[in-house]
Amino acid sequence: MFDELNPEVQKRLETAVLEIFSTADFHKASIRDVADRAGVSFSTIYKHFGSKERLLFAYVNIWMSHLTDRIEDHLNGIEDIKEKLRKVFWLHLDYYERHEQLGRILFMTLPMQTWMADKSFDQRRRVGLIIEVFKIGQKLGLINPHVRAGNLLDFMLGFIQRTFFMWIMRGKHENLAEEANALFEMVWQGMVNPEIIRYLPPPEKSSS
């Protein structure tokens, strides 16, 4: 659907979609709003996308594919399971912080069920990359083997979503990416194999 659009029109539409859907109620936003903001005719947008949902989802899938590419590149260069997951966690927070409007769309204005129910929804590559790390970690005995990999993914991504949402609500006073390591340690404690924790030596007592 993008192939027939002029690159400059694509860019104007992208900017308009980000601005409108990151600030307006999803159900109140319309193709006409986007057309007016982008300076593109209503008929052009409708011809290529057919609905505001397909227009938004087309761009969201592109933006999320950029995140997936970054995740894939970084995972290829890391061997340690915990560090793989730490990097995935950091990449999400860093990406949403640098693309705040996308984060607002995903977590604050877009009904997730609406996006997931659309046939254009395709996050299999991103999900598959992360779930594979969980499954390998479970086979190695590092990650809780009694929890489905899909539930572990939901736990981590849900934490990321809540973190972004509260970052916005609290006025964005701190840097999300800089807090990623400390936050990840909290998440890791909820995913690590409990048998590993059970047999860890107790912390040394302070001599002071």
Side-chain angles (χ1 to χ4, degrees), residues 28 74 132 135 152:
K28 293 181 180 179
H74 281 276
E132 181 64 18
K135 289 183 176 179
L152 292 168

Side-chain angles (χ1 to χ4, degrees), residues 15 40 128 134 173:
T15 300
V40 178
F134 282 127
H173 296 302

Side-chain angles (χ1 to χ4, degrees), residues 6-207:
N6 181 292
E8 192 220 336
V9 172
Q10 289 185 40
K11 187 62 180 176
R12 296 209 314 263
L13 280 176
E14 180 179 22
T15 300
V17 167
L18 275 172
E19 290 176 354
I20 289 172
F21 286 99
S22 65
T23 57
D25 183 286
F26 175 80
H27 299 290
K28 293 181 180 179
S30 69
I31 290 181
R32 197 164 299 281
D33 293 331
V34 176
D36 292 343
R37 186 73 60 90
V40 178
S41 71
F42 175 91
S43 59
T44 295
I45 299 176
Y46 189 82
K47 173 185 174 183
H48 287 87
F49 299 97
S51 68
K52 70 175 182 182
E53 288 83 3
R54 299 303 300 278
L55 170 64
L56 174 59
F57 301 157
Y59 276 107
V60 168
N61 280 324
I62 289 175
W63 298 325
M64 293 306 292
S65 72
H66 297 327
L67 172 59
T68 302
D69 289 341
R70 292 193 69 202
I71 291 172
E72 188 169 30
D73 287 343
H74 281 276
L75 288 182
N76 286 333
I78 302 173
E79 295 296 329
D80 184 83
I81 292 296
K82 181 178 180 180
E83 293 311 308
K84 280 180 179 285
L85 292 173
R86 186 194 303 276
K87 180 60 71 171
V88 168
F89 188 87
W90 179 87
L91 284 168
H92 277 85
L93 288 182
D94 176 69
Y95 192 71
Y96 295 141
E97 181 174 8
R98 290 189 298 107
H99 300 86
E100 180 186 327
Q101 290 174 307
L102 172 61
R104 286 177 177 270
I105 290 172
L106 290 176
F107 305 136
M108 301 176 72
T109 66
L110 172 63
M112 186 60 66
Q113 184 177 2
T114 303
W115 182 34
M116 294 179 68
D118 189 88
K119 65 180 181 180
S120 70
F121 179 82
D122 188 8
Q123 295 299 301
R124 288 172 296 179
R125 184 161 67 98
R126 181 172 64 105
V127 167
L129 287 170
I130 304 171
I131 283 186
E132 181 64 18
V133 178
F134 282 127
K135 289 183 176 179
I136 293 174
Q138 289 175 320
K139 289 180 181 178
L140 294 174
L142 300 173
I143 294 176
N144 193 334
H146 306 298
V147 180
R148 287 195 318 107
N151 288 339
L152 292 168
L153 176 70
D154 292 341
F155 171 64
M156 185 170 75
L157 295 186
F159 192 100
I160 290 169
Q161 176 177 343
R162 174 70 177 181
T163 298
F164 176 86
F165 179 81
M166 294 310 300
W167 176 68
I168 295 292
M169 298 304 293
R170 290 167 178 156
K172 302 180 292 183
H173 296 302
E174 67 281 346
N175 182 288
L176 274 182
E178 288 181 358
E179 290 198 318
N181 283 337
L183 294 173
F184 174 75
E185 288 299 328
M186 296 169 58
V187 175
W188 176 253
Q189 292 304 312
M191 302 187 299
V192 69
N193 190 340
E195 295 300 316
I196 292 179
I197 298 176
R198 180 181 302 178
Y199 293 108
L200 284 177
E204 295 183 5
K205 294 182 178 180
S206 173
S207 58

